[in-house]
Every structure is written in structure tokens, then in C-alpha cells.
Amino acid sequence: AYVALARDASAVYWNPAGLGYAYNFKFTSSAVATRLGDNGPFPAIESSHVFAAAAIPLGRFGVLGLGWKHFSNGDIEQRDNEGEILGSFDNSENALFFAYGIEIVPNRMSIGASFKVVQQELTHESGATASGRGFSFGLSYRVNHVLTVGLRADDEIRMEWENGHADSTAFRGIAGAALSLWDERITVVADLEQGRDRGLKLNSGIELSFKRGSRLNGSGVRFHELALRSGLDDKFLENRPAGTDFRKESNFVYGFGL
């Protein structure tokens, strides 16, 4: 839930309009590895997610953003129509982002757009490589010192496979809001996402942060910022299409950072 909050290099992914507020060069990166299914009936699947982005100010001409996102998971079982195991395959996905944002009302309103090139590959499968392109458009508006709202629209991405098959991702729109409370120590965010032929989805979160100069337990150890975060991820609020239930149990995520 970051559409209204992104004001650094991560805006390349979350909302290109947020790049307009990046007055200095910024760089961000993250890497996450997970292992799912250890206790289930199927073999565990290991996944990795890597993201890196940079925001490059162009003075009064706005801000250029560049980003790369990678996702992969391996040893996915391949079965036939009878459920017999045929083997396994790996999935690898990469996306390159070229974004631009510009502040049209100083410290109040910014707009932006991004172009992304996506590639996906399924190993051990003939013709299982696909590529596609898509655009995103965003707006960020700071209502006051407490409330910021953001909008992002993603167009349809058509993935063309080497074997002639084609898949498409649906158009989607996201509206987000961020509340900054207690002298910016508490931030509450929420995004509502609506995709074509998909149910309305909610992402939300809260962050408690301690700024530069804070002491840890009264000791002499100082830190620039300590943040504690918790969120609700991918909560579907309605069913769509009729007869299909997309709702699921709440998925809570949490973490901390220095």
C-alpha cells in the first residue's frame, strides 16, 4: 500500500508521480527469499524477489526514474491431465522500468508515467519465453500536512509467447491514501485496487518510526531511523465475476528496518 506514499526511487514501481518529489539523487534496492509448502502435500517451492531503482533529478525538467524487478521460483511440479508428474520447471520473470515524474505544484501535486518491458521464461519448456510492454500513469496530491492521496492506472500488458500463444494482464486502477500522524512518527496507508474482471482489493498498513538522533533503550547507540511496520495484503472485498469467489483469508505482513 504505497501508491500515495512513494516519494523516492521506489516510485518507479509504486507510482511514477512520486518521482516529482525526489529533489536529490536516490537509489533503493531490496532482496527477499521465501520457501513455501514445507508442511504441505507438495514439494516446497523456493522463490526470490529482487528490486532496484534510481531517481535522477533533471532540475526544473522533472525526475527520471530507472528500475529493475526480478522474480523467480523453482522446482514447480508439472503434471498431466490425469495428475501424473511429468517433471518440474522453473519460472523467471524480469521487468525493466523507465519512468518520469514532474512536480506541477511545488510540494503539492505531481504527475508521472512509466514504460515497462516484461520478460518471462519457463525453463525445460520449448517455446516457453514471452515478452510484453505496458504503460502506467500516476498522480500524487498532498491535501495538507497530514493527508496525501495518489492514483495509478496500469494498461493491459499482452505477453507474446514464442510458441504463438498470448496472455494478457487486465487493466487496473489503484487509489491510495496516506495519513501522517504524531509528528510523522505514525503513518497509516491504504490502497484500493480494481482490475477488470477482478474483485475490489484492499492493501493497508501502518508504520511506527523513530527519527534520527533517537537512543536505543537509553544507551549511547544512535540511529538515523528505526521503523516498525505491519500490513494487510491482498484482501478481496467483493466477488467477480458472478459465481467465482476471489475472497480469501487476511494475509498479514510485518517487518522492521534501520
Side-chain angles (χ1 to χ4, degrees):
Y2 218 59
V3 168
L5 199 59
R7 289 187 165 214
D8 53 18
S10 67
V12 168
Y13 174 78
W14 292 107
N15 186 352
L19 287 171
Y21 304 117
Y23 305 123
N24 303 305
F25 175 83
K26 296 182 181 295
F27 176 82
T28 185
S29 65
S30 63
V32 178
T34 60
R35 181 181 174 88
L36 302 176
D38 279 319
N39 298 321
F42 302 106
I45 297 178
E46 295 183 351
S47 302
S48 64
H49 178 204
V50 181
F51 176 73
I56 308 168
L58 304 175
R60 62 187 180 91
F61 298 105
V63 180
L64 175 67
L66 302 173
W68 169 61
K69 181 182 178 183
H70 169 78
F71 173 79
S72 64
N73 46 12
D75 294 329
I76 303 171
E77 284 189 352
Q78 182 181 12
R79 296 172 179 261
D80 60 19
N81 294 334
E82 303 299 325
E84 295 295 327
I85 298 177
L86 301 178
S88 64
F89 63 93
D90 299 335
N91 174 58
S92 177
E93 304 173 24
N94 287 281
L96 293 176
F97 297 83
F98 305 90
Y100 175 80
I102 186 168
E103 197 176 41
I104 57 177
V105 179
N107 203 34
R108 175 74 68 172
M109 180 183 292
S110 180
I111 58 175
S114 67
F115 172 71
K116 48 185 173 285
V117 179
V118 183
Q119 185 177 48
Q120 182 177 5
E121 180 181 8
L122 304 178
T123 61
H124 312 307
E125 289 290 321
S126 176
T129 300
S131 60
R133 295 166 296 278
F135 289 91
S136 294
F137 303 92
L139 179 145
S140 177
Y141 181 70
R142 188 176 186 184
V143 179
N144 50 44
H145 70 283
V146 173
L147 175 63
T148 302
V149 296
L151 297 172
R152 191 184 92 209
D154 301 332
D155 76 337
E156 178 181 277
I157 299 179
R158 181 177 174 83
M159 299 292 291
E160 301 280 353
W161 294 85
E162 289 182 343
N163 60 9
H165 182 70
D167 293 319
S168 295
T169 61
F171 170 87
R172 65 175 177 173
I174 305 174
L179 287 172
S180 181
L181 308 171
W182 193 24
D183 194 25
E184 298 185 347
R185 291 185 178 91
I186 296 178
T187 303
V188 181
V189 295
D191 290 348
L192 286 175
E193 177 182 330
Q194 179 70 73
R196 188 180 62 196
D197 298 327
R198 297 286 288 179
L200 183 66
K201 185 169 68 174
L202 170 69
N203 296 303
S204 61
I206 184 170
E207 176 183 278
L208 174 63
S209 62
F210 302 91
K211 301 298 182 179
R212 177 186 301 175
S214 300
R215 291 181 180 272
L216 191 59
N217 292 331
S219 68
V221 178
R222 291 179 177 269
F223 49 84
H224 177 77
E225 182 176 1
L226 171 66
L228 305 175
R229 299 174 178 174
S230 179
L232 176 66
D233 188 28
D234 291 345
K235 177 63 177 179
F236 283 95
L237 304 179
E238 65 177 1
N239 301 333
R240 184 178 293 188
T244 303
D245 188 359
F246 283 112
R247 291 178 299 180
K248 63 179 183 180
E249 296 300 322
S250 300
N251 178 26
F252 286 97
V253 293
Y254 54 89
F256 71 94
L258 283 173

